[in-house]
Amino acid sequence: MIDATVGMGGHAEAILSASASSVRLLGLDTDAAALAQARARLAPFGDRVDLAHASFGRLGEAAAARGVEGARAILLDLGVSSWQLEQSGRGFSFQGDEPLDMRLDPSSAETAAALLNRLAEPELARILFEYGEEPHARRIARAIVRRRPLARTGDLVAAVRGAVPRAAWPRRLHVATRTFQAVRMATWISFHSGEDRIVKQTFRALEPAGFAELEPSPCQPTDDEVRANPRARSAKLRVLERLS
């Protein structure tokens, strides 16, 4: 079994607990802090678990490096976790005032602040429009450039608030929601509805090779789960099964 986004090990723990002792798990994650929590959580399973600091985009390479030639199942839980949003201190969310970092792997790439302070205004507008579908992308890009240098999430929120006319603020979303999504995507691979469409299209393309998506999905968030964690409302479980 490969958990290509092992995070803090919650899914991996549930899978190993429900599986025979012969089942082994390779867990990958690009966030070293989350991986350290997974390592502690999964320690009771001993040598049934092998964890690696690697992105799911390098799954084949990471598996080969550990002598894994195939897997009965592969799990990807795509998206940022509640812990990363609320407790990592890396500025993924507009809810707090934190350093404008947004890197899943702080040892690689440039921070969101460096990106926002470096890019030209037209490129900033393109990112906000294409990645965040932000209708006020040009106005926000102009405000970002005027407020440079940006260092904290509060700086970015202030730029958005100052750029978007109050009457145009969304009723159900924070006015900076689309901007933060776009900047997260520009800093690292941030999963959203556009990528979900790619997953569906890929599943359909694999049908001639003997695969099929399980429909309806075997699991959807319950009302209780959504009440406990409102972010679960948008969660989708897609399962691709090999028929032969």
Side-chain angles (χ1 to χ4, degrees):
M1 171 74 193
I2 297 177
D3 186 342
T5 52
V6 72
M8 292 175 286
H11 287 128
E13 181 183 40
I15 290 167
L16 290 167
S17 297
S19 303
S21 59
S22 59
V23 173
R24 295 174 55 83
L25 182 138
L26 171 62
L28 313 179
D29 208 279
T30 192
D31 187 335
L35 201 63
Q37 296 186 55
R39 186 169 284 109
R41 185 174 195 165
L42 302 176
F45 297 99
D47 61 5
R48 294 177 62 192
V49 178
D50 185 11
L51 300 179
H53 183 208
S55 167
F56 65 83
R58 295 182 175 273
L59 189 157
E61 179 183 321
R66 284 157 180 76
V68 178
E69 298 180 355
R72 294 294 300 274
I74 298 173
L75 170 68
L76 295 99
D77 182 11
L78 300 168
V80 67
S81 71
S82 293
W83 175 81
Q84 287 162 329
L85 286 169
E86 298 167 359
Q87 301 178 46
S88 70
R90 284 181 240 158
F92 289 112
S93 171
F94 45 76
Q95 298 290 355
D97 185 26
E98 300 175 343
L100 201 51
D101 189 316
M102 293 194 185
R103 292 174 297 173
L104 278 181
D105 182 357
S107 68
S108 66
E110 64 181 342
T111 65
L115 189 79
L116 292 171
N117 293 328
R118 173 179 62 81
L119 294 180
E121 185 178 317
E123 180 63 7
L124 286 173
R126 183 193 67 81
I127 286 173
L128 297 177
F129 182 75
E130 292 186 7
Y131 294 169
E133 299 180 343
E134 172 54 66
H136 302 282
R138 291 181 180 177
R139 296 174 64 107
I140 295 171
R142 189 177 308 120
I144 288 172
V145 171
R146 287 175 178 171
R147 285 180 174 268
R148 287 174 173 172
L150 280 68
R152 303 185 67 82
T153 53
D155 298 331
L156 182 54
V157 170
V160 177
R161 285 178 178 271
V164 180
R166 186 66 180 84
W169 288 18
R171 292 185 177 180
R172 297 185 179 181
L173 294 176
H174 189 286
V175 66
T177 297
R178 295 186 179 94
T179 293
F180 270 71
Q181 173 184 297
V183 177
R184 285 197 299 264
M185 291 177 66
T187 307
W188 55 280
I189 300 174
S190 176
F191 199 74
H192 71 122
S193 59
E195 274 73 36
D196 186 49
R197 287 194 292 271
I198 295 173
V199 171
K200 290 189 291 185
Q201 292 165 1
T202 302
F203 279 14
R204 285 197 294 269
L206 288 170
E207 289 177 0
F211 291 87
E213 181 176 4
L214 296 187
E215 294 181 319
S217 173
C219 181
Q220 295 293 341
T222 66
D223 292 341
D224 288 342
E225 288 174 322
V226 171
R227 278 192 290 270
N229 177 17
R231 295 191 184 98
R233 182 181 293 105
S234 60
K236 294 184 177 70
L237 175 65
R238 299 195 181 280
V239 181
L240 187 68
E241 181 180 31
R242 189 167 200 159
L243 301 179
S244 60

